[in-house]
Amino acid sequence: MPTLTTVIWIVVALLLVGVYLSWTAGRLDRLHARIDAAKAALDATLLRRASIAQELATAGVLDPAASMVLYQAAHDARQAEEEQREVAESELSQALRAVFAESAQLEAVREAPGGHETAGELSAAVRRVPMARRFHNDAVRAARALRSHRTVRWFRLAGHAPSPLAFEMDDEPPPVLADRGHPSED
């Protein structure tokens, strides 16, 4: 009978290992789904920011030089290939900071018809980018940490899925647009 007991313990141990591996694979799958959702949200946020910036650049409320700089950066961000996206989005952030370095440009936007709404939309869009990027990068960090565990590597629980990459960009908003307590948002 000792062999039957040994067999039962081996089966129980294998069952526990199987349950653990299945749970870990499921967790990894959920993390990859979270990355996909966070990436989609980040893409939508970046597209919204670029669209508002492009709209503003063509509205005729900014001085011509600022309009050209902002339009070109927003256009490049919207048209960038995936490999160049981080650079293009960083350049849009820099263009927004350059155009809105002083509050005079923001005041010019607000004075135009519908300007308060446009300024509010742009302000909200530039504040959402760092948050969306942080959510995406946190999900990537969690997935990469789990993928680095020996168990995941040994049993190839990640399959052939490529390792997720963080989205690194300059997302610092212009100070005049980052101010939450601004009267334009009342």
Coordinates of all heavy atoms in Angstrom, one line a residue, residues 98-169:
A98 N 6.4 75.2 -26.6 CA 6.9 76.4 -27.3 C 5.8 77.4 -27.6 O 6.0 78.6 -27.4 CB 7.7 76.0 -28.5
V99 N 4.7 76.9 -28.2 CA 3.6 77.8 -28.6 C 2.9 78.4 -27.4 O 2.6 79.6 -27.4 CB 2.6 77.0 -29.5 CG1 1.3 77.8 -29.7 CG2 3.2 76.6 -30.8
F100 N 2.7 77.6 -26.3 CA 2.0 78.1 -25.1 C 3.0 78.4 -24.0 O 2.7 78.2 -22.8 CB 1.0 77.1 -24.7 CG -0.1 77.0 -25.7 CD1 -0.2 75.9 -26.6 CD2 -1.1 78.0 -25.8 CE1 -1.2 75.8 -27.5 CE2 -2.1 77.9 -26.7 CZ -2.2 76.8 -27.6
A101 N 4.2 78.8 -24.3 CA 5.2 79.2 -23.3 C 4.8 80.3 -22.4 O 5.1 80.4 -21.3 CB 6.6 79.5 -24.0
E102 N 4.0 81.2 -23.0 CA 3.4 82.3 -22.3 C 1.9 82.3 -22.4 O 1.4 81.8 -23.4 CB 4.0 83.6 -22.8 CG 5.5 83.7 -22.6 CD 6.1 85.0 -23.3 OE1 5.3 85.9 -23.5 OE2 7.3 85.0 -23.4
S103 N 1.3 82.8 -21.5 CA -0.2 82.8 -21.5 C -0.9 83.6 -22.5 O -2.1 83.5 -22.7 CB -0.7 83.1 -20.1 OG -0.3 84.4 -19.7
A104 N -0.1 84.5 -23.2 CA -0.7 85.4 -24.2 C -1.3 84.5 -25.4 O -2.4 84.9 -25.8 CB 0.4 86.3 -24.8
Q105 N -0.7 83.5 -25.8 CA -1.3 82.6 -26.8 C -2.6 82.0 -26.4 O -3.5 81.9 -27.1 CB -0.3 81.5 -27.3 CG 0.9 82.0 -28.0 CD 0.6 82.4 -29.5 OE1 -0.5 82.7 -29.9 NE2 1.6 82.3 -30.3
L106 N -2.6 81.5 -25.1 CA -3.8 80.9 -24.6 C -4.9 81.9 -24.5 O -6.1 81.6 -24.8 CB -3.5 80.3 -23.2 CG -4.6 79.4 -22.6 CD1 -5.0 78.3 -23.5 CD2 -4.2 78.9 -21.2
E107 N -4.6 83.1 -24.1 CA -5.6 84.2 -24.0 C -6.1 84.5 -25.4 O -7.3 84.7 -25.6 CB -5.0 85.5 -23.4 CG -4.7 85.3 -21.9 CD -5.9 84.8 -21.1 OE1 -7.1 85.2 -21.3 OE2 -5.7 83.9 -20.3
A108 N -5.3 84.5 -26.4 CA -5.7 84.7 -27.8 C -6.7 83.6 -28.2 O -7.7 83.8 -28.9 CB -4.5 84.7 -28.8
V109 N -6.4 82.4 -27.8 CA -7.3 81.2 -28.1 C -8.7 81.5 -27.4 O -9.7 81.3 -28.0 CB -6.7 79.9 -27.7 CG1 -7.7 78.8 -27.8 CG2 -5.5 79.6 -28.5
R110 N -8.6 81.8 -26.2 CA -9.9 82.0 -25.4 C -10.7 83.2 -25.9 O -12.0 83.1 -25.8 CB -9.5 82.3 -23.9 CG -9.1 81.1 -23.2 CD -9.1 81.4 -21.7 NE -8.6 80.2 -21.0 CZ -7.5 80.2 -20.3 NH1 -6.8 81.3 -20.2 NH2 -7.1 79.1 -19.8
E111 N -10.1 84.2 -26.5 CA -10.9 85.3 -27.0 C -11.6 85.0 -28.3 O -12.5 85.7 -28.7 CB -9.9 86.5 -27.2 CG -9.5 87.1 -25.9 CD -8.4 88.1 -26.0 OE1 -8.0 88.5 -27.2 OE2 -7.8 88.6 -25.0
A112 N -11.2 84.0 -29.0 CA -11.8 83.6 -30.3 C -13.2 83.0 -30.0 O -13.4 82.5 -28.9 CB -10.9 82.7 -31.1
P113 N -14.1 83.0 -31.0 CA -15.4 82.3 -30.8 C -15.2 80.9 -30.5 O -14.5 80.2 -31.2 CB -16.1 82.6 -32.1 CG -15.4 83.7 -32.8 CD -14.0 83.7 -32.3
G114 N -15.8 80.4 -29.4 CA -15.6 79.0 -29.0 C -14.3 78.7 -28.4 O -13.9 77.5 -28.2
G115 N -13.5 79.7 -28.1 CA -12.1 79.6 -27.6 C -12.0 79.0 -26.2 O -11.1 78.2 -26.0
H116 N -13.0 79.3 -25.4 CA -12.9 78.7 -24.0 C -13.1 77.2 -24.1 O -12.4 76.5 -23.4 CB -14.0 79.4 -23.1 CG -13.6 80.7 -22.6 ND1 -12.8 80.8 -21.5 CD2 -14.0 81.9 -23.0 CE1 -12.6 82.1 -21.3 NE2 -13.4 82.8 -22.2
E117 N -14.0 76.7 -24.9 CA -14.2 75.3 -25.0 C -12.9 74.6 -25.6 O -12.5 73.6 -25.2 CB -15.4 75.0 -25.9 CG -16.7 75.4 -25.3 CD -17.0 76.8 -25.4 OE1 -16.4 77.5 -26.3 OE2 -17.9 77.3 -24.7
T118 N -12.4 75.3 -26.7 CA -11.2 74.7 -27.3 C -10.0 74.7 -26.3 O -9.3 73.7 -26.3 CB -10.8 75.5 -28.6 OG1 -11.9 75.5 -29.4 CG2 -9.6 74.9 -29.3
A119 N -9.8 75.7 -25.6 CA -8.7 75.8 -24.6 C -8.9 74.7 -23.5 O -8.0 74.1 -23.1 CB -8.6 77.2 -24.0
G120 N -10.2 74.5 -23.1 CA -10.5 73.5 -22.1 C -10.2 72.1 -22.6 O -9.7 71.3 -21.9
E121 N -10.6 71.9 -23.9 CA -10.4 70.6 -24.5 C -8.9 70.3 -24.7 O -8.4 69.2 -24.4 CB -11.0 70.5 -25.9 CG -12.5 70.4 -25.9 CD -13.1 70.3 -27.3 OE1 -12.4 69.9 -28.2 OE2 -14.2 70.8 -27.5
L122 N -8.1 71.3 -25.1 CA -6.7 71.1 -25.3 C -6.0 70.9 -23.9 O -5.2 70.0 -23.7 CB -6.0 72.3 -26.0 CG -4.5 72.2 -26.2 CD1 -4.3 71.0 -27.1 CD2 -4.0 73.5 -26.9
S123 N -6.4 71.6 -22.9 CA -5.9 71.5 -21.6 C -6.2 70.1 -21.0 O -5.3 69.4 -20.5 CB -6.5 72.5 -20.6 OG -6.0 72.4 -19.4
A124 N -7.4 69.6 -21.2 CA -7.8 68.3 -20.7 C -7.0 67.2 -21.5 O -6.5 66.2 -20.9 CB -9.3 68.0 -20.9
A125 N -6.8 67.4 -22.8 CA -6.1 66.4 -23.6 C -4.6 66.3 -23.2 O -4.1 65.2 -23.1 CB -6.2 66.8 -25.1
V126 N -4.0 67.4 -23.0 CA -2.5 67.4 -22.6 C -2.4 66.8 -21.2 O -1.3 66.2 -20.9 CB -1.8 68.7 -22.8 CG1 -1.8 69.2 -24.2 CG2 -2.3 69.8 -21.8
R127 N -3.4 67.0 -20.3 CA -3.2 66.4 -19.0 C -3.5 64.9 -19.0 O -3.0 64.2 -18.1 CB -4.2 67.1 -18.0 CG -3.8 68.4 -17.5 CD -4.6 68.9 -16.3 NE -6.0 68.6 -16.4 CZ -6.9 69.5 -16.9 NH1 -6.6 70.7 -17.2 NH2 -8.2 69.1 -16.9
R128 N -4.3 64.4 -19.9 CA -4.6 63.0 -20.0 C -3.5 62.1 -20.5 O -3.4 60.9 -20.2 CB -5.9 62.8 -20.8 CG -7.1 63.2 -20.1 CD -8.4 62.8 -20.9 NE -9.5 63.3 -20.2 CZ -10.4 64.2 -20.7 NH1 -10.2 64.7 -21.9 NH2 -11.4 64.6 -20.0
V129 N -2.6 62.7 -21.4 CA -1.6 62.0 -22.0 C -0.6 61.3 -21.0 O -0.4 60.1 -21.0 CB -0.8 62.8 -23.0 CG1 0.5 62.1 -23.5 CG2 -1.7 63.1 -24.2
P130 N -0.1 62.1 -20.0 CA 0.8 61.4 -19.0 C 0.1 60.3 -18.2 O 0.7 59.2 -18.0 CB 1.2 62.5 -18.1 CG 1.0 63.8 -18.8 CD -0.1 63.5 -19.8
M131 N -1.2 60.5 -17.9 CA -1.9 59.5 -17.2 C -2.1 58.2 -18.0 O -1.9 57.1 -17.5 CB -3.3 60.0 -16.8 CG -4.0 59.2 -15.8 SD -5.5 59.9 -15.1 CE -5.8 61.4 -16.0
A132 N -2.5 58.4 -19.3 CA -2.7 57.2 -20.2 C -1.4 56.5 -20.4 O -1.3 55.2 -20.4 CB -3.3 57.7 -21.5
R133 N -0.3 57.2 -20.5 CA 1.0 56.6 -20.7 C 1.4 55.9 -19.5 O 2.0 54.8 -19.6 CB 2.1 57.7 -21.1 CG 3.4 57.1 -21.6 CD 4.3 58.2 -22.1 NE 4.9 59.0 -21.0 CZ 6.0 58.6 -20.3 NH1 6.6 57.5 -20.5 NH2 6.4 59.4 -19.4
R134 N 1.2 56.4 -18.3 CA 1.5 55.8 -17.1 C 0.8 54.4 -16.9 O 1.3 53.4 -16.5 CB 1.2 56.7 -15.9 CG 1.9 56.3 -14.6 CD 1.8 57.3 -13.5 NE 2.1 58.6 -14.0 CZ 1.2 59.7 -13.9 NH1 0.0 59.5 -13.4 NH2 1.5 60.9 -14.4
F135 N -0.5 54.4 -17.2 CA -1.3 53.2 -17.1 C -0.7 52.1 -18.1 O -0.6 51.0 -17.7 CB -2.8 53.4 -17.5 CG -3.6 54.1 -16.4 CD1 -4.5 55.1 -16.8 CD2 -3.4 53.9 -15.1 CE1 -5.3 55.7 -15.8 CE2 -4.1 54.5 -14.1 CZ -5.1 55.5 -14.5
H136 N -0.4 52.5 -19.3 CA 0.2 51.6 -20.3 C 1.5 51.0 -19.8 O 1.7 49.8 -19.8 CB 0.3 52.3 -21.6 CG 1.0 51.4 -22.6 ND1 2.4 51.5 -22.8 CD2 0.5 50.5 -23.5 CE1 2.7 50.6 -23.7 NE2 1.6 50.0 -24.2
N137 N 2.4 51.9 -19.3 CA 3.7 51.5 -18.9 C 3.6 50.7 -17.6 O 4.4 49.8 -17.4 CB 4.6 52.7 -18.7 CG 5.0 53.3 -20.1 OD1 4.7 52.7 -21.1 ND2 5.6 54.4 -20.1
D138 N 2.7 50.9 -16.7 CA 2.5 50.1 -15.5 C 2.1 48.7 -15.9 O 2.6 47.7 -15.4 CB 1.5 50.7 -14.6 CG 2.0 51.9 -13.9 OD1 3.2 52.2 -13.9 OD2 1.2 52.6 -13.2
A139 N 1.2 48.6 -16.9 CA 0.8 47.2 -17.4 C 1.9 46.5 -18.0 O 2.1 45.3 -17.8 CB -0.4 47.4 -18.3
V140 N 2.7 47.2 -18.8 CA 3.9 46.6 -19.4 C 4.9 46.1 -18.4 O 5.4 45.0 -18.4 CB 4.6 47.6 -20.4 CG1 6.0 47.1 -20.8 CG2 3.7 47.8 -21.6
R141 N 5.1 47.0 -17.4 CA 6.1 46.6 -16.3 C 5.6 45.4 -15.6 O 6.4 44.5 -15.3 CB 6.2 47.8 -15.3 CG 7.4 47.8 -14.4 CD 7.6 49.1 -13.6 NE 6.6 50.1 -13.7 CZ 6.6 51.2 -14.5 NH1 7.6 51.2 -15.4 NH2 5.7 52.1 -14.5
A142 N 4.3 45.3 -15.3 CA 3.8 44.1 -14.6 C 3.9 42.8 -15.4 O 4.3 41.8 -14.9 CB 2.3 44.3 -14.2
A143 N 3.6 42.9 -16.7 CA 3.7 41.8 -17.6 C 5.2 41.3 -17.7 O 5.5 40.1 -17.7 CB 3.1 42.1 -19.0
R144 N 6.1 42.3 -17.9 CA 7.5 41.9 -18.0 C 8.0 41.3 -16.7 O 8.9 40.4 -16.8 CB 8.3 43.2 -18.4 CG 8.0 43.6 -19.8 CD 8.7 44.8 -20.2 NE 10.1 44.3 -20.6 CZ 10.8 45.0 -21.4 NH1 10.5 46.2 -21.9 NH2 12.0 44.5 -21.8
A145 N 7.6 41.8 -15.6 CA 8.0 41.2 -14.3 C 7.5 39.7 -14.2 O 8.3 38.9 -13.8 CB 7.5 42.0 -13.1
L146 N 6.3 39.5 -14.6 CA 5.8 38.1 -14.6 C 6.5 37.2 -15.6 O 6.8 36.1 -15.3 CB 4.3 38.1 -14.8 CG 3.6 36.7 -14.7 CD1 3.8 36.1 -13.3 CD2 2.1 36.9 -15.0
R147 N 6.7 37.8 -16.8 CA 7.4 37.0 -17.8 C 8.9 36.7 -17.4 O 9.4 35.7 -17.9 CB 7.4 37.8 -19.1 CG 6.1 37.8 -19.8 CD 6.1 38.8 -21.0 NE 7.0 38.2 -22.0 CZ 6.5 37.9 -23.2 NH1 5.3 38.1 -23.5 NH2 7.3 37.4 -24.1
S148 N 9.4 37.4 -16.5 CA 10.8 37.2 -16.1 C 10.9 36.0 -15.1 O 12.0 35.6 -14.8 CB 11.5 38.4 -15.5 OG 10.9 38.7 -14.3
H149 N 9.8 35.6 -14.5 CA 9.9 34.5 -13.5 C 10.3 33.2 -14.2 O 10.0 32.9 -15.3 CB 8.5 34.2 -12.9 CG 8.1 35.3 -12.0 ND1 6.8 35.4 -11.4 CD2 8.7 36.4 -11.5 CE1 6.7 36.4 -10.6 NE2 7.9 37.1 -10.7
R150 N 11.1 32.4 -13.5 CA 11.7 31.2 -14.0 C 10.6 30.2 -14.5 O 10.7 29.6 -15.6 CB 12.5 30.5 -13.0 CG 13.9 30.8 -13.0 CD 14.7 30.0 -12.1 NE 15.6 30.8 -11.3 CZ 15.7 30.8 -10.0 NH1 15.1 29.9 -9.3 NH2 16.5 31.7 -9.4
T151 N 9.5 30.1 -13.7 CA 8.4 29.2 -14.1 C 7.8 29.6 -15.4 O 7.6 28.7 -16.3 CB 7.3 29.3 -13.0 OG1 7.9 29.1 -11.7 CG2 6.3 28.2 -13.2
V152 N 7.6 30.9 -15.7 CA 7.0 31.3 -16.9 C 8.0 31.0 -18.1 O 7.6 30.6 -19.1 CB 6.7 32.8 -16.9 CG1 6.3 33.4 -18.2 CG2 5.6 33.1 -15.8
R153 N 9.3 31.2 -17.9 CA 10.3 31.0 -18.9 C 10.4 29.5 -19.2 O 10.4 29.0 -20.3 CB 11.6 31.6 -18.5 CG 11.6 33.1 -18.6 CD 13.0 33.6 -18.6 NE 14.0 32.9 -17.7 CZ 14.3 33.3 -16.4 NH1 13.7 34.3 -15.9 NH2 15.1 32.6 -15.7
W154 N 10.6 28.7 -18.1 CA 10.8 27.2 -18.3 C 9.6 26.5 -19.0 O 9.8 25.7 -19.8 CB 11.0 26.6 -16.9 CG 12.3 26.9 -16.3 CD1 13.4 27.5 -16.9 CD2 12.7 26.6 -14.9 NE1 14.4 27.6 -15.9 CE2 14.0 27.1 -14.7 CE3 12.0 26.0 -13.8 CZ2 14.7 27.0 -13.5 CZ3 12.7 25.9 -12.7 CH2 14.0 26.4 -12.5
F155 N 8.4 26.9 -18.6 CA 7.2 26.3 -19.2 C 6.7 27.0 -20.4 O 5.6 26.7 -20.9 CB 6.1 26.1 -18.1 CG 6.5 25.0 -17.1 CD1 7.1 25.4 -15.9 CD2 6.3 23.7 -17.4 CE1 7.4 24.4 -15.0 CE2 6.6 22.7 -16.5 CZ 7.2 23.1 -15.3
R156 N 7.4 28.1 -20.8 CA 7.0 28.9 -21.9 C 5.6 29.3 -21.9 O 4.8 29.2 -22.9 CB 7.3 28.2 -23.2 CG 8.8 27.8 -23.4 CD 9.0 27.1 -24.7 NE 10.4 26.5 -24.7 CZ 11.4 27.2 -25.2 NH1 11.3 28.4 -25.7 NH2 12.6 26.6 -25.2
L157 N 5.2 29.9 -20.7 CA 3.8 30.2 -20.6 C 3.4 31.5 -21.4 O 2.2 31.7 -21.6 CB 3.5 30.5 -19.1 CG 3.6 29.3 -18.2 CD1 3.3 29.6 -16.7 CD2 2.8 28.1 -18.6
A158 N 4.4 32.2 -21.8 CA 4.1 33.4 -22.6 C 3.9 33.1 -24.1 O 3.6 33.9 -24.9 CB 5.2 34.5 -22.5
G159 N 4.2 31.8 -24.4 CA 4.0 31.4 -25.8 C 5.0 32.1 -26.7 O 6.2 32.3 -26.3
H160 N 4.6 32.5 -27.9 CA 5.4 33.2 -28.8 C 5.1 34.7 -28.9 O 5.6 35.4 -29.8 CB 5.2 32.6 -30.2 CG 5.7 31.2 -30.3 ND1 7.0 30.8 -30.2 CD2 5.0 30.0 -30.4 CE1 7.1 29.5 -30.3 NE2 5.8 29.0 -30.4
A161 N 4.3 35.2 -27.9 CA 4.0 36.6 -27.8 C 5.3 37.4 -27.6 O 6.1 37.1 -26.8 CB 3.0 36.9 -26.7
P162 N 5.4 38.5 -28.4 CA 6.6 39.3 -28.1 C 6.6 40.0 -26.8 O 5.5 40.3 -26.3 CB 6.6 40.4 -29.3 CG 5.2 40.4 -29.7 CD 4.6 39.0 -29.4
S163 N 7.7 40.3 -26.2 CA 7.7 41.0 -25.0 C 7.2 42.4 -25.1 O 7.5 43.1 -26.1 CB 9.2 41.1 -24.4 OG 9.2 41.6 -23.2
P164 N 6.2 42.9 -24.3 CA 5.6 44.2 -24.5 C 6.7 45.3 -24.2 O 7.6 45.1 -23.4 CB 4.5 44.2 -23.4 CG 4.9 43.2 -22.4 CD 5.7 42.2 -23.1
L165 N 6.5 46.4 -24.9 CA 7.4 47.5 -24.8 C 6.7 48.7 -24.2 O 5.5 49.0 -24.5 CB 7.9 47.9 -26.2 CG 8.7 46.8 -26.9 CD1 9.1 47.3 -28.3 CD2 10.0 46.5 -26.1
A166 N 7.4 49.4 -23.3 CA 6.9 50.7 -22.7 C 6.8 51.8 -23.8 O 7.6 51.7 -24.8 CB 7.7 51.1 -21.6
F167 N 6.0 52.7 -23.6 CA 5.9 53.9 -24.5 C 6.6 55.0 -23.9 O 6.1 55.6 -22.9 CB 4.4 54.2 -24.8 CG 4.2 55.1 -26.0 CD1 4.1 54.6 -27.3 CD2 4.2 56.5 -25.8 CE1 4.0 55.4 -28.4 CE2 4.0 57.3 -26.9 CZ 3.9 56.8 -28.2
E168 N 7.8 55.4 -24.4 CA 8.6 56.4 -23.8 C 8.5 57.7 -24.6 O 8.9 57.6 -25.8 CB 10.0 56.0 -23.6 CG 10.2 54.8 -22.7 CD 9.7 55.0 -21.3 OE1 9.7 56.2 -20.8 OE2 9.3 54.0 -20.6
M169 N 8.1 58.8 -24.0 CA 8.0 60.0 -24.7 C 8.0 61.2 -23.8 O 7.8 61.0 -22.6 CB 6.7 60.1 -25.5 CG 5.4 60.1 -24.7 SD 3.9 60.4 -25.6 CE 3.8 62.2 -25.5

